[in-house]
Amino acid sequence: MEEPPRIVTSPGPDVEGIPETTKYGSYPDSDYSKLLSYSLYFYEAQRSGILPPNNRVPWRLSYALRRHNSALDDGELGVDLSGGYYDAGDYMKFTLPLSWTLSMISWGGIEWFKGYELSGQEKYLHDMVKWGTDWLIKAHSIETNELYVQVGIDKIDHNYWGTDENIPKPRPVFKIGDDVHGTDVAAETVAAFASASILFKDKFKELDYAKLLLSHAIKLFEFAELKPMDVYSDQVPEAKSLYGARRYQDKLVWASLWLYRATGEQLYLNKARQYFVLFSLKGYMQIINWADKTCATFILFAQVTNGTNFMDEISWKSQSERYLDIMINPSLMPNNRCGYTPGGLLWCNGDSEFNSLNVALNIAFVSLVYAPYATTDERKKKYMNFAESQISYVLGENPMKHNFVVGINPNSPKNPHHAGAHGSVTNNLLTPVETTNILYGAVIGGPGVNDDYSDDRTQYNFTEVSLDYNAPWQGLMAYQVLNFDPTIPRTKTPPTTENSKQSNNKSSDDISNNDGTYGMSSGRKVGIIVGSLLGGIFLIIGGLFAWKHSSIIEWFGKKREELSKRSIRNLVSGSRRNSIQAESNLPHYIP
């Protein structure tokens, strides 16, 4: 068999921990081992605070070769908020997207830890997650219920474009607490603490640290459940145009499930079920991202109920498979705003216009998480092929032959929207013309709907980088290290031959029966239908019981609020960024 071209061909960072190139056919494949290591390197470039002695990012060093520390005064009287991660190409810090990032990284680490081990990256995974959770511990007070949710303010930070040596002040901080509630960000942070506690307990065997993380998760969850429930951006208006989610309901389910996985206590699984029913989340059809993880809870439910109770298990599997089947083959649902670009990238109108890869990579991630639980081998293969097709697209199997990972070959992005990497000393987005520092491993925003792409740092919708939409990529690379067979050609196209967003044609093996079973055998169909009905009855009974006896929350109607998407920064004069919000156009319910 002819040896395919290498993916990683450009010289990488000359630092420890980067895997060597191995000969073709070796296991694990060195391309994916390098890509995984580069992803971890990217997160090191995002670090704030006092950098450790083993800092590997050379441009985070001064000319005197001392550690290049930054934002050491973050916080307020008695509260040290130095450390953590800068959110994107700027110097602000946010608890909500950071927590989502840590949950996704931890989830990938739990699922595919062997991939980190095979590529020698387990130490760097440990340090990457701990750098974030250490900051969350600082940000959360068990004694007072206060949780700091933002450091910096856009009208100051977004008027600065330079290195982290001269970050402008003041850097105000914002928090929630007994007087200023924020159900969404509190619950999201619970999930980060709980998922990371599993990683540290089961994979790193650091029981004391895992216990500390779990104690924060449990205490913060009690606060998240307090009434009146609200989104934090209604109480912290400075966050609304930046990371203002419209919903908290999904995050309570998300947090409950991670607490159940971390503790094994039935109480939390019961809460997850009760919230799921009370908030009418069944049948939602939405992308997965920092703002909304309703559909990610389908996958978690399927995981935690697998092998426990047939009726409950098959109900959650049916929910998960209906979601994945429609996301992967959008023509199954009439008037679906999702489809594929001509080159094969999953695209959802209203969500993919800005940072388009985020949509595809999050769906690819949950497809691979769920694949081992699929009810048929055909489905399992379909989910795996879909994920492989999206990975291949990112790595250059697209009409422009352009990959979207910085620093891996000559076709990589060279101008990410990132102030530190650009290295301007004149507070100007346009000078120098060429980017000073290579932000190895960063996945940038992505192409347009016609597979068009502009490698222009002023075009942030194409070139922005951020913590949250690099998170699924890292998990995907760990999966590839573990599972990629170099002797099998990479999947170049999505698993459906229909790329048109308007067509509703259905392939013979994906016929929708309007019950979520899509061409299964009659026996399995009956099992799923009966299981779904009984499981739904149990959920309703549990929800009504919780409504009446526990007064968890008032009943919500089925009309879903608009999804708040990441604020997109509009650059003015090369430095000023104004925020806008895009409304999701995906149907909210599966018909």
Side-chain angles (χ1 to χ4, degrees), residues 87-92 94 153-162 168 241-242 416-420 427-429 457-461 463-466 469 566-580:
D87 174 62
D90 54 11
Y91 297 109
M92 297 184 70
F94 300 93
I153 191 168
D154 57 343
K155 65 182 180 182
I156 295 175
D157 186 271
H158 292 176
N159 275 301
Y160 172 72
W161 187 264
S241 64
L242 298 167
H417 182 83
H418 190 280
N427 196 30
N428 192 324
L429 195 71
R457 77 178 64 87
T458 69
Q459 301 295 312
Y460 49 85
N461 54 312
T463 59
E464 187 181 29
V465 300
S466 183
Y469 51 83
R566 169 190 298 283
S567 62
I568 308 301
R569 302 175 178 93
N570 182 25
L571 300 178
V572 180
S573 301
S575 63
R576 184 173 179 82
R577 291 175 258 187
N578 300 319
S579 298
I580 62 173

Side-chain angles (χ1 to χ4, degrees), residues 367-389:
S367 295
L368 290 181
V369 170
Y370 181 77
Y373 305 94
T375 55
T376 66
D377 288 341
E378 291 76 15
R379 266 202 172 83
K380 178 180 179 180
K381 184 180 297 184
K382 177 170 65 175
Y383 301 152
M384 293 168 64
N385 285 346
F386 164 75
E388 179 68 29
S389 74

